[in-house]
Amino acid sequence: MKRTQISKHVVAALIAMSASGVANAAEFMDGKIKISGAAMQAWQSGIDVDGAAVNPADADADSAFQRMRFALNINAQVAENVSVFAELAEEPNDWNNGSAAISQDLAWIQFDLPNNIGIRLGNVISTTMNFIRYSDGAAVQSNPFVGNGLVDMITAEEGLWAYGSHNLESGTNMTWDAVLATPDFFTDFSPGHGYNLGLRGTLNLNNGLSFGVGTFKTNHDLEGVVGKPFGSLIAIGDGDNYQFANTAPSARATHPLIVPGVDAFIWQADVQYKAGNFLLHALYGEAEDDYSWAGGEGSLQTSYIEEKSKMEFWSVEGKVDLSNSLYLAARYAESTNKSTGVSGPSDATRLQLGAGFWLNDATLFKAEYVKQEEDQFSGGGATIFGAAGGTEWDGFIMEASVTF
């Protein structure tokens, strides 16, 4: 079907739906309704935060199992060119819902148009990221690591999502997508919230070399965010899979908290080479905002000042398949706080070393060592902003995931 061809090439495919076993879905009503799902369980060593920790109780931790993640996906083919997708998920690293409630985590109405173009209405994926390998709740199998990247710029919002895939001469493929979104995952009619705008594109050569670029603009008035901890979540990341002893899993404590997303502009450029059993990917980007949190970077606050906040970020990762079942991967990422008034050590870095073993087509075991260092003025969420010495933390984490 046309929808399948589009999702194969567009970044939209590398979200929860693509990682949740749609190919193995149970079919009902002559194939009009397909139900699939995913489950993930992780264990981690005790991750101690050494140095000027925001939460002193994070300085000591024992190993433990994390809360299990679970997702159920429903795909309904309403007509030849109209379909509906909904993911119902329990995602504690994002929602931190102690009641174990199942929430609508991602959903849309999809319209397939001629020439491999599509439109989705509902939850849009707002990001500057290209060639996404990302874990979101139980949808983890597109990510060779257990955790996400230090500088991932991604969130989900409400709006309109247009995308397309086009084959050019000599086997070259081009993809693009654009979003127009209300800067909230939930309904927001407060005055001054504005609309967020995103545009991305990739050029994929037939020799395995690809190039990508992504841009994103948030557009709040200041009065539209006062009393809220951020304008748009995109610049402070989604929930990660590392947990500390005394910090809520949904607190974004592993991500640099520099740009609050009030009136911000973010751009990112990528280059990737993928051939045979080898993949190499590098990115560079910048995020800046006309506003900063009133109390400085490093923590979510509800008041703001008109002072420029800015971060530069880059990342490089590689993956090699040793066999059809076993792979090794490594990723290094760095962000630098370039905000007005910041001087002194301002880098945050993350090193991830991972391995994965496919027991079968639906079952993946992963292991990872992670080490993060946050300088005094990095804006890292685990360190007290401005405290001499900053912080560092490291640990070992394992994960088992199944799609069905």
Side-chain angles (χ1 to χ4, degrees):
M1 293 181 63
K2 185 161 48 201
R3 181 177 68 247
T4 303
Q5 184 175 1
I6 291 174
S7 63
K8 178 181 178 182
H9 298 291
V10 184
V11 176
L14 299 175
I15 53 177
M17 184 173 71
S18 67
S20 298
V22 174
N24 301 319
E27 298 185 6
F28 303 91
M29 297 179 64
D30 296 325
K32 290 184 178 180
I33 296 178
K34 298 180 180 180
I35 297 178
S36 61
M40 183 273 272
Q41 174 70 73
W43 172 93
Q44 71 173 48
S45 64
I47 296 181
D48 301 337
V49 181
D50 298 324
V54 172
N55 293 315
D58 289 336
D60 190 23
D62 275 337
S63 63
F65 287 96
Q66 295 182 359
R67 184 175 182 83
M68 185 177 182
R69 285 96 159 131
F70 173 81
L72 188 66
N73 304 304
I74 302 170
N75 289 269
Q77 193 68 38
V78 179
E80 181 181 1
N81 297 316
V82 181
S83 59
V84 174
F85 168 77
E87 180 191 43
L88 306 178
E90 208 252 329
E91 190 178 340
N93 57 317
D94 199 3
W95 301 107
N96 193 35
N97 191 328
S99 66
I102 299 295
S103 302
Q104 185 262 90
D105 190 61
L106 195 65
W108 56 68
I109 305 169
Q110 178 169 304
F111 302 89
D112 297 325
L113 305 179
N115 302 314
N116 285 334
I117 295 174
I119 293 177
R120 289 172 176 169
L121 295 171
N123 301 140
V124 304
I125 304 300
S126 294
T127 186
T128 58
M129 298 167 61
N130 299 287
F131 318 115
I132 297 178
R133 285 169 287 276
Y134 191 77
S135 293
D136 185 40
V140 300
Q141 293 188 351
S142 66
N143 182 8
F145 305 93
V146 178
N148 292 318
L150 173 71
V151 294
D152 290 346
M153 301 283 177
I154 189 167
T155 190
E157 300 174 326
E158 297 287 346
L160 182 149
W161 187 358
Y163 55 94
S165 175
H166 311 283
N167 293 322
L168 308 178
E169 295 181 356
S170 304
T172 300
N173 171 260
M174 180 186 72
T175 73
W176 61 270
D177 76 309
V179 300
L180 172 67
T182 303
D184 199 307
F185 186 75
F186 305 100
T187 300
D188 183 4
F189 292 95
S190 59
H193 67 64
Y195 285 88
N196 288 343
L197 303 169
L199 181 64
R200 290 177 297 163
T202 69
L203 183 67
N204 310 291
L205 308 181
N206 64 355
N207 62 0
L209 188 63
S210 297
F211 302 91
V213 63
T215 63
F216 200 82
K217 180 74 177 72
T218 73
N219 190 30
H220 286 282
D221 292 336
L222 183 59
E223 60 270 20
V225 296
V226 171
K228 302 177 182 178
F230 47 81
S232 173
L233 269 172
I234 182 173
I236 56 177
D238 201 3
D240 213 336
N241 286 338
Y242 313 119
Q243 296 184 19
F244 302 138
N246 197 50
T247 299
S250 61
R252 272 64 177 175
T254 62
H255 201 281
L257 304 176
I258 298 174
V259 174
V262 180
D263 191 5
F265 180 73
I266 309 169
W267 68 269
Q268 174 179 323
D270 301 75
V271 59
Q272 176 174 279
Y273 179 72
K274 184 177 182 180
N277 65 340
F278 178 74
L279 179 146
L280 184 65
H281 173 224
L283 66 90
Y284 174 84
E286 296 181 358
E288 61 179 69
D289 200 325
D290 289 338
Y291 295 90
S292 300
W293 284 291
E297 294 82 19
S299 62
L300 302 181
Q301 304 156 48
T302 58
S303 58
Y304 304 84
I305 56 175
E306 192 170 353
E307 181 175 278
K308 185 175 289 294
S309 56
K310 181 178 180 179
M311 65 181 289
E312 298 176 356
F313 56 93
W314 63 275
S315 176
V316 61
E317 64 180 310
K319 175 176 176 283
V320 59
D321 296 320
L322 302 179
S323 68
N324 290 334
S325 301
L326 181 65
Y327 69 81
L328 300 176
R331 176 193 284 150
Y332 178 83
E334 181 173 309
S335 77
T336 302
N337 188 359
K338 295 285 188 177
S339 302
T340 299
V342 170
S343 61
S346 60
D347 292 339
T349 65
R350 179 183 295 179
L351 173 67
Q352 296 167 264
L353 302 175
F357 174 74
W358 289 94
L359 181 65
N360 52 51
D361 290 344
T363 308
L364 176 61
F365 295 96
K366 291 190 279 188
E368 178 190 313
Y369 170 76
V370 58
K371 180 179 179 65
Q372 182 154 318
E373 297 179 333
E374 301 175 7
D375 282 345
Q376 180 177 3
F377 299 104
S378 69
T383 190
I384 300 173
F385 186 76
T391 69
E392 66 176 54
W393 51 268
D394 71 330
F396 182 75
I397 183 168
M398 295 190 296
E399 172 188 280
S401 63
V402 176
T403 60
F404 57 91

